[in-house]
Structures are given as C-alpha cells and as structure tokens.
Amino acid sequence: MGNSLTTERLNKDDDRAQFRAFLGDEETRNVVDQVIRDLVIPHAAVHKGGIRSCIDFLSEHRSPRILLVDLTQSDLPLSDINELAEVCEPGVTVVAIGDRNDVGLFRELMNQGISDYLVKPLTPALLQKSLLGTVDGVSRSRQTSRLGRLVAVLGARGGVGSTMIAANTAYHIAEVRRRRVALIDLDLQFGTVALSLDLEPSHGFREALETPSRIDGLYVDRTMVKYSDTLYVLSAEENIDETCHIDEQSIDLLIQELRSKYHYVLVDLPRNQPSINRKVLEEASNLVLVSDLSLSGMRDTLRILQQIPSTNAGCNISLALNRVGEHRVGEIPIAEFEKGVGRKADIIIPFDPKNVASATNVGQPVVSRQSLVTSGIDQLSEVLCGGGSKPKRGIISRLIGKRA
Ligand SMILES: Nc1ncnc2c1ncn2[C@@H]1O[C@H](COP(=O)(O)OP(=O)(O)OP(=O)(O)O)[C@@H](O)[C@H]1O
Ligand SMILES: [Mg+2]
C-alpha cells in the first residue's frame, strides 16, 4: 500500500471531483491542503464554509467520491447530516470534522453512514490515516448502508406497457425530481427502452453481462448512454438468432455498482429470463407489477404476487393497471380484477393511444407532454420517492437510498 491516493485507487469518474472539502477555518484548510499535496489526490477542491455550504453546493452539483465536511458551525449536526444525505449521491464516503469530542455524537454519525469523525485540531497525520482507511475499504460496511433504490418493473404478460411505465417513471424521477437515475433494459434482444427514448443501445452491455470480470466502475460508466444529466440508460440490441448467456454474478456486480452512484436504478425485466429476474427481484426494494384488465393478465398477476414473498419478503409491490379502458366491451372491471388478485391496484393508467403512440413513435417520453398517462406516472414516482417534486429537506424517513 503506497502513501498516495492515485487515480487508479480512486477509480476516476470523468465528470466528478474525487475529493471535496467544505471547511470553516483557515487552520484546518492548511492541513487539508497539505494532505492533498502529500497524498497526490487528483481532482481535489477545497471550499470555504461548513456543512451549509456543502448542502447548497451538492444540491446543484455532482457529489465527489470523498467528501470532507466541517460540522463545527452546526448547532444540529445530526439533522444537518440527514439533510446532506438527501442531496448527496449514494456511495459517497463522507468524513466529518468537528470540535466536539463526544462519543455519543461519534456513534450517531457512524449510524448515519459517516465514515469517520475527526476532532479538531486536525493534524495531517490524522487526516491522512482516515482518508487512506476509507479508500482502502476499512469503512466499506458503513458506506453500503446508503445505496440507491433498486426498482424492478415487470409486466404480468407481454405488451401490457411495462417498458412505457419504466421509461416514463425513470424520466419523471430524473427530470422532475432531479434525482440521478439509471434505467436498465435486461431484454438484450427485443428490449425497447432505448428506442422509446430515441437513444442508441449501449456498446459493451452484453459483454459486461456475460463476463463479470469486465464490470468495474469505469467500464459501466463508459457503457451507459446519457439521456440527460440525471438519466442514464443501459440497453442492447443483440442479434435475434443468438443466445445471450447473462451471468448472475454480473447482475449482482452491476446492481451494486449502479446503486452506489445513482439514487434510483430502474430495471425493465423481460419475462423469459426467470433466473435473472429472480436475481434482480431478490435485491429490489420495489417491484412495479404491470397488467392490463385481461383474464390472462389477472391470472399471471396473481401468480407473480404469490411468488414474490418467497423471493424477497421485503419487496414493496405496486400494482399498476395500464391500458385501462382499451376494450370498453369485454374488459374485466377494476373491482373484479382486484378481487381476483386479492389486492387493490395502486396505480391506474388509462388507455391513451393518441398521445402514447405519437410520443413513443418519435422516441419521446409520454410524460413530457399532456396525456392521460401523466397522473399515473406522477403517482408512481411519488410512491417510489416520497412526496414533493423536489427532495424535501430534513425528513429522515424519506432519505433516498435508504433501504425499504
Ligand atoms: N396507456 C397506454 N395507452 C396507449 N398505449 C399504450 C399505453 N401503454 C403502453 N401503450 C403502448 O402499448 C405498446 C406496448 O407497450 P410496452 O412496449 O411498454 O409494453 P411491454 O409490456 O414492455 O411489452 P413487451 O412485453 O413487448 O416488453 C406500445 O406500443 C405502447 O406505446
Ligand atoms: Mg417491454
């Protein structure tokens, strides 16, 4: 182990600072500057001001991989740290500095996911030891307590609109709620996520899914296709006469990687890959189960609802009924469908062929325009994210990334 935080060890991202510090006083700033030089930390920035400036800054910018934040000026450090957690990306290593030598505070900060708490006066040796410890994984278990939320979207049968719902919900959370969202299409041959957003398929996605050793932060970052600053997509368009051998370990690694960088990871699941679906569902905090009001939809909704608890008892299921009203004659009434599957529907989305088809066929999200679909997608993102269109501050229970 060398005494330097080199680019390799920090696993450099392209558009993201590796290290940022928000510091209240000149003395601490001098120590931090010295450690940045001694450890040769690349892409480091030191800002004036403590946790308040830090929260303001991170509300508008990408989080660094390592964040050093001064709590000295804070009257309510724990509530400020909660607020910070709402704007900070998952997976960031946060080291706090303060002037209170208080074991209770130290423990509480650790419980909130802080990697280390250093009491002033700060010395170069103390800070160096702490930073090297966090990067070398000493506090890895603490970092993993805050990861992005994994949401699986599954159609009870083909063509019920699960891709439309996955793509539009991802768009809504990313654009309206300003959260970082990764949208993954696991149907490598027939998936339509990229098409519905007018994006190119990702190069190298299949390779990553077939070869777990390829999956690392840099590879995944390069494979993702950017829709906007907050929405990134992984998809493929593999030959239809080839068999793709997705490795379950790749799914695990990919999910872990994405959850450490995105507030939400939405996965559009194919129905013909039971072992892969099971792998995703085991980890998912939420499942959005989509059906239409058909008899086959009702039967398969019931079968899936019965099976999920044995795969993941903690998974929150939202039942979305889509294309409602498509068949005025012959459609199962909602109340009867709900009776048949033994639960109420959470989201009801009307059939709106004019708006859905005209948006989808030009690769635009339906929710970017007025349609009958918008209110259902809005409700669904509220279920997944909690109320309000912007992240509310100081509400611990709504911390994004907290496991359900
Ligand atoms: N509420 C709706 N109103 C009108 N058309 C809709 C609605 N929802 C989806 N559609 C249309 O239905 C078709 C199927 O939708 P989508 O591709 O999202 O379904 P899917 O469940 O993902 O299908 P697959 O099983 O092929 O993956 C698309 O043409 C889509 O534009
Ligand atoms: Mg689909």
Side-chain angles (χ1 to χ4, degrees):
M1 180 176 104
N3 238 15
S4 118
L5 294 180
T6 60
T7 306
E8 289 73 33
R9 292 176 70 200
L10 285 168
N11 190 15
K12 178 181 170 305
D13 294 346
D14 289 341
D15 59 343
R16 180 175 189 197
Q18 298 298 335
F19 176 92
R20 279 190 197 279
F22 291 82
L23 307 169
D25 65 279
E26 204 54 37
E27 200 185 329
T28 309
R29 198 185 157 104
N30 290 338
V31 172
V32 173
D33 281 338
Q34 185 186 327
V35 171
I36 289 172
R37 282 194 302 274
D38 291 349
L39 293 182
V40 205
I41 302 178
H43 308 285
V46 180
H47 303 251
K48 269 194 182 154
I51 179 119
R52 298 309 320 170
S53 320
C54 178
I55 291 168
D56 288 344
F57 183 89
L58 294 186
S59 309
E60 304 294 335
H61 299 87
R62 284 212 61 185
S63 306
R65 278 180 49 77
I66 300 176
L67 179 66
L68 185 64
V69 61
D70 193 344
L71 297 177
T72 312
Q73 303 295 329
S74 172
D75 294 331
L76 297 167
L78 291 174
S79 117
D80 282 343
I81 286 293
N82 277 330
E83 211 176 306
L84 174 66
E86 292 217 2
V87 294
C88 194
E89 288 171 33
V92 173
T93 299
V94 182
V95 175
I97 312 171
D99 59 359
R100 280 169 57 185
N101 197 350
D102 174 345
V103 179
L105 174 66
F106 177 83
R107 278 214 194 101
E108 287 292 341
L109 288 171
M110 295 298 124
N111 287 341
Q112 303 282 4
I114 298 297
S115 295
D116 206 356
Y117 175 67
L118 307 173
V119 182
K120 284 181 183 176
L122 195 63
T123 64
L126 189 67
L127 180 59
Q128 233 189 66
K129 189 163 170 253
S130 174
L131 292 181
L132 287 169
T134 58
V135 170
D136 285 332
V138 171
S139 50
R140 185 166 288 276
S141 60
R142 288 183 205 128
Q143 291 172 42
T144 53
S145 64
R146 276 199 64 247
L147 287 173
R149 184 172 285 259
L150 177 65
V151 179
V153 184
L154 178 65
R157 59 190 294 258
V160 293
S162 55
T163 299
M164 187 282 284
I165 289 178
N168 280 280
T169 307
Y171 174 88
H172 193 274
I173 296 174
E175 300 301 315
V176 180
R177 293 175 180 261
R178 305 302 301 159
R179 294 299 193 179
R180 280 174 54 77
V181 180
L183 174 61
I184 318 302
D185 189 343
L186 282 183
D187 186 339
L188 301 189
Q189 281 150 326
F190 295 101
T192 53
V193 163
L195 201 61
S196 71
L197 293 172
D198 192 21
L199 293 175
E200 289 293 319
S202 329
H203 296 291
F205 185 36
R206 174 183 177 178
E207 193 182 338
L209 289 175
E210 291 185 334
T211 330
S213 59
R214 299 250 32 179
I215 296 191
D216 62 38
L218 206 55
Y219 188 84
V220 174
D221 287 348
R222 292 201 173 139
T223 308
M224 299 202 78
V225 176
K226 182 175 178 176
Y227 179 87
S228 68
D229 281 347
T230 44
L231 177 57
Y232 289 77
V233 175
L234 274 178
S235 69
E237 205 175 278
E238 296 301 328
N239 291 337
I240 54 179
D241 60 346
E242 287 174 22
T243 309
C244 300
H245 300 283
I246 300 181
D247 190 307
E248 289 182 22
Q249 204 196 338
S250 287
I251 296 283
D252 262 347
L253 292 168
L254 179 70
I255 288 173
Q256 185 71 15
E257 175 61 30
L258 293 174
R259 291 183 68 196
S260 73
K261 288 190 178 151
Y262 292 86
H263 295 114
Y264 288 86
V265 180
L266 270 76
V267 185
D268 184 8
L269 292 175
R271 264 162 305 93
N272 56 0
Q273 299 264 14
S275 62
I276 299 306
N277 285 4
R278 189 181 175 84
K279 200 83 210 131
V280 175
L281 288 167
E282 276 170 4
E283 295 293 317
S285 12
N286 295 74
L287 166 66
V288 180
L289 178 57
V290 185
S291 181
D292 57 8
L293 288 170
S294 63
L295 185 63
S296 47
M298 187 167 91
R299 182 197 66 179
D300 291 340
T301 297
L302 181 62
R303 290 163 80 203
I304 295 168
L305 287 174
Q306 285 170 339
Q307 187 256 317
I308 294 296
S310 65
T311 306
N312 177 353
C315 185
N316 290 307
I317 303 176
S318 299
L319 175 59
L321 294 178
N322 187 33
R323 306 179 68 112
V324 171
E326 180 181 8
H327 305 291
R328 294 215 179 116
V329 181
E331 196 165 87
I332 297 178
I334 293 175
E336 215 172 286
F337 187 100
E338 291 176 330
K339 206 166 151 216
V341 301
R343 64 169 284 163
K344 290 260 175 220
D346 301 281
I347 311 290
I348 292 172
I349 302 180
F351 186 57
D352 185 357
K354 188 165 150 260
N355 288 307
V356 177
S358 56
T360 310
N361 291 341
V362 292
Q364 270 180 11
V366 189
V367 287
S368 63
R369 52 173 80 185
Q370 276 298 322
S371 81
L372 300 176
V373 167
T374 309
S375 139
I377 298 293
D378 198 16
Q379 274 175 43
L380 183 55
S381 58
E382 180 150 352
V383 169
L384 300 174
C385 307
S389 59
K390 270 259 176 186
K392 289 231 165 40
R393 294 183 164 183
I395 304 169
I396 302 168
S397 61
R398 285 187 182 152
L399 272 183
I400 299 303
K402 229 176 173 189
R403 273 174 159 265

